[in-house]
Amino acid sequence: MTAKRLTVLGSTGSIGTNTLDIVRQFPDKFQVTALSCHNRIQKIHEQIEEFQPQSVCVGSEENAQWLKARLPSPRPEILSGTEGLIQLASNRNADLVVAGIVGAAGLRSTYAAIENGRNIALANKETMVLAGELIMAKAKQTGSLIFPADSEHNAIYQSLIGHQRSDIEKIILTASGGPFRDTPLEAFQDITLDEALNHPNWEMGSKITIDSATMMNKGLEIIEARWLFDIPVSQIEPVIHRESIVHSLVEYTDGSFIAQMGLPDMRTPIAFCLAYPDRLPLEGPKMKMSELGKLHFAPVPFEKFPCLSLAITAANLEGAAPAVLNGANEAAVAAYLDGKIHFMDIARIISEIMEQFELKKMQHDEQFPFLNKIETIEDALDADQWGRQIAQSSLTGE
Amino acid sequence: MTAKRLTVLGSTGSIGTNTLDIVRQFPDKFQVTALSCHNRIQKIHEQIEEFQPQSVCVGSEENAQWLKARLPSPRPEILSGTEGLIQLASNRNADLVVAGIVGAAGLRSTYAAIENGRNIALANKETMVLAGELIMAKAKQTGSLIFPADSEHNAIYQSLIGHQRSDIEKIILTASGGPFRDTPLEAFQDITLDEALNHPNWEMGSKITIDSATMMNKGLEIIEARWLFDIPVSQIEPVIHRESIVHSLVEYTDGSFIAQMGLPDMRTPIAFCLAYPDRLPLEGPKMKMSELGKLHFAPVPFEKFPCLSLAITAANLEGAAPAVLNGANEAAVAAYLDGKIHFMDIARIISEIMEQFELKKMQHDEQFPFLNKIETIEDALDADQWGRQIAQSSLTGE
């Protein structure tokens, strides 16, 4: 068996470092072809010395110079900036591109890898939320396989293998419900930032932790699932499952539900993406079914989580709506993390922006063609940017 | 699409009638080629008129004559007895043989179908418990596919599709634990027959209901799983799951668990076997994940269920041990249902017989060659019979 060649985009982030941990555990199975990061050049410097990639990309020319000065020759090709990142992602030398960059840069580089027919381990949420339709069409055209690296979509992927798509009744996305699943609606006005940042099951960055608290995260995942698995939004159902052990399920027409379960550990879905169709015997604690005790399942209290309903509405609208929603949410969450607005304002602001979006769409303003039709990745990024800016203006105006 | 041709062995039993209910719901997908029953000739008479099979087999020549007198010509071929049943099961006109006959007759006819390369929907437990090794070797040779029709093994089958056997870490068989899962060991001496016959989740025949109460049923399922999925007994783990919603799971080496879940409804696994690789949109109540509430998982309290430990020991011994165990268990349960022994005597008697079996094996008695080596289906049936008779003698001696 020859080693699988990996390009790791965002190698210093949590997806990237977990990926490299797995590579370190299975040196015969993987070879790191390329690495990229934005600013953490000390860390990527160590990674370069350890994994000896052929190419590297960093966020700026300044960072590239810093690296060049420290790496003995023969040193890897060192690229920088957006152009460099797209060049790195496009390299057909990689068998699998781990798309671990968040935000817009992640979308562009993921798309470049797909254009070049590379298989993708997808951890960049924006890719599917902003441009799912374009991405899936391009992947179909180039033969690129997209393996979802987040636990819910990876669980769905695993629950679909070997079964027929035409037999799907429903996809069930489990949701921990975040820190406020048990908080009564009346108490939502008293929610503090510290409480919102305290997720019960997963340790994640602050943006995604707030998205969990508002359940926008589950809404964005519904949009992702809609495209990843080519299934109508009406057949995707979120369910509260507080333990995050059943990572998601597929219901089939005969009454069978197939579920993927495990400890909440992001290494499992990442390892799945890296090794498919094989599996890696990962080190670390294993789940014991007999020690699970109770698993809980309950309906989503939609009245407490308007962000989730807003996302489902945007998913149904398709077109630019999910991108606008995403931009508005990012602006609102940033303002919340800055202490400028209250927890309950997040949904209120997004709701306002979505109303403005609907109005603007009806005007068919030539200045904003992307609001009516997403034809390119740049259209999707423009729609996201539009949502973000309108939300920011609305926030500044307050 | 041409209809799938079915032979239904044991068509008047619970597997058979459920199978025909499904056929009735999907008349375009299935065609009943042959039916068999033992004694319920009124019922099979109705089934013949409804499903118009080409061949029928009943338990006795007398029953055959009864049917012939009542069926207008052109009437189906009507066979009788063991020979007739084997002829019916061997018919290569069937795409799938539903093996719904319990006991020894079930084993012989299932084996005949496999010898003739027929695919099998297997609901006859004795097949795998008595002769799993022979059966699987024969199926491999003839290309016969064996689809398990009971909920646990069907769940494992569904959780293996599309995944690699070499990646299996463990098979986890869920067990409701029966009516005495919460009964303290000290109270086992007070268990009554009525209590033992009152299964919390499933409605089944009295023999299998007692097997659930002693957990011998789970032990026999471990033996079945060992052969069906070609996996060492040490990698099969029973777990108490009182709701019978997660029907069983497969743990893979990367920490992923794949589970099949659903309402406790035997039509789902039967429909799976009938339609594979398709699925049938069954009528009836559907499970809602959001309405499940709590699912419980707990270790098996082995000290309360010695029958389960006896079965695991027999599974590890292989050879004739599982067949002897099965025979001894049938005799003991029959005596228990007759009110001749106490609930706790079941395991005690089986344990005695297994000790006698081990002694006898060491003697290499030429009268009982099958105790040392199972080479044919008749050997397996002889070993079962031996266990049964020794247990009966022991019971009569009391």
Side-chain angles (χ1 to χ4, degrees), chain A residues 154-155 158-159 161-164 167 169-170 172 174 237-239 246 249 251-263 268 271-272 276-282 286-300, chain B residues 154-155 158-159 161-164 167 169-170 172 174 237-239 246 249 251-263 268 271-272 276-282 286-300:
Chain A
N154 190 266
Q158 292 199 39
S159 301
I161 296 171
H163 306 281
Q164 295 183 162
D167 295 327
E169 178 82 25
K170 217 180 268 180
I172 296 130
T174 54
E237 182 183 312
V239 167
V246 176
L249 314 88
E251 177 182 356
Y252 292 96
T253 51
D254 63 358
S256 285
F257 289 67
I258 304 291
Q260 189 262 1
M261 306 165 63
L263 295 175
T268 298
F272 178 89
Y276 184 84
D278 297 327
R279 288 182 187 265
L280 302 173
L282 289 176
K286 296 262 173 173
M287 185 169 88
K288 291 268 298 169
M289 283 304 299
S290 60
E291 291 170 6
L292 280 185
K294 295 174 203 162
L295 298 182
H296 294 77
F297 300 91
V300 173
Chain B
N154 190 266
Q158 292 199 40
S159 301
I161 297 171
H163 306 282
Q164 296 182 162
D167 295 328
E169 178 82 25
K170 216 181 269 181
I172 296 131
T174 54
E237 182 184 313
V239 167
V246 176
L249 313 88
E251 177 181 356
Y252 292 97
T253 50
D254 63 358
S256 285
F257 290 65
I258 304 291
Q260 189 263 0
M261 306 166 63
L263 295 176
T268 299
F272 179 88
Y276 185 83
D278 296 329
R279 286 182 189 265
L280 302 173
L282 289 176
K286 296 262 173 172
M287 185 168 88
K288 290 268 299 169
M289 284 304 297
S290 59
E291 291 169 5
L292 281 184
K294 295 174 201 164
L295 298 181
H296 294 77
F297 300 90
V300 173

Side-chain angles (χ1 to χ4, degrees), chain B residues 50-215:
Chain B
E50 181 177 1
F51 294 102
Q52 302 284 329
Q54 292 158 24
S55 305
V56 172
C57 184
V58 287
S60 66
E61 183 51 30
E62 193 190 341
N63 284 342
Q65 291 305 333
W66 187 94
L67 272 182
K68 279 178 189 166
R70 276 158 190 80
L71 288 167
S73 114
R75 65 171 180 239
E77 174 187 35
I78 298 185
L79 307 162
S80 68
T82 305
E83 289 300 304
L85 186 63
I86 286 172
Q87 189 184 328
L88 194 88
S90 302
N91 194 327
R92 299 192 179 204
N93 216 359
D95 298 310
L96 182 76
V97 175
V98 179
I101 302 178
V102 294
L107 171 52
R108 284 203 186 89
S109 53
T110 305
Y111 191 72
I114 292 170
E115 274 187 307
N116 284 281
R118 297 307 86 201
N119 291 342
I120 309 287
L122 186 68
N124 173 265
K125 202 177 280 290
E126 285 79 7
T127 301
M128 285 296 153
V129 172
L130 269 59
E133 191 167 11
L134 293 178
I135 291 277
M136 295 310 288
K138 182 55 76 183
K140 197 173 176 184
Q141 187 190 326
T142 64
S144 160
L145 300 177
I146 301 178
F147 302 105
D150 68 307
S151 71
E152 289 84 353
H153 299 92
N154 190 266
I156 295 164
Y157 194 97
Q158 292 199 40
S159 301
L160 287 169
I161 297 171
H163 306 282
Q164 296 182 162
R165 296 300 172 101
S166 54
D167 295 328
I168 300 174
E169 178 82 25
K170 216 181 269 181
I171 281 178
I172 296 131
L173 270 173
T174 54
S176 72
F180 307 127
R181 60 194 172 205
D182 300 324
T183 307
L185 182 56
E186 311 82 72
F188 265 55
Q189 59 194 15
D190 303 325
I191 285 171
T192 68
L193 180 55
D194 280 350
E195 287 166 349
L197 283 170
N198 184 24
H199 192 275
N201 301 0
W202 297 90
E203 276 188 42
M204 302 174 294
S206 54
K207 156 69 166 57
I208 192 171
T209 302
I210 300 303
D211 283 348
S212 285
T214 63
M215 287 194 77

Side-chain angles (χ1 to χ4, degrees), chain B residues 39 48 50 65 67 94 100 111 125 266 270 324 345 372 374 397:
Chain B
N39 272 328
I48 293 165
E50 181 177 1
Q65 291 305 333
L67 272 182
Y111 191 72
K125 202 177 280 290
M266 66 163 72
I270 294 172
V324 172
D345 293 328
N372 289 87
I374 300 284

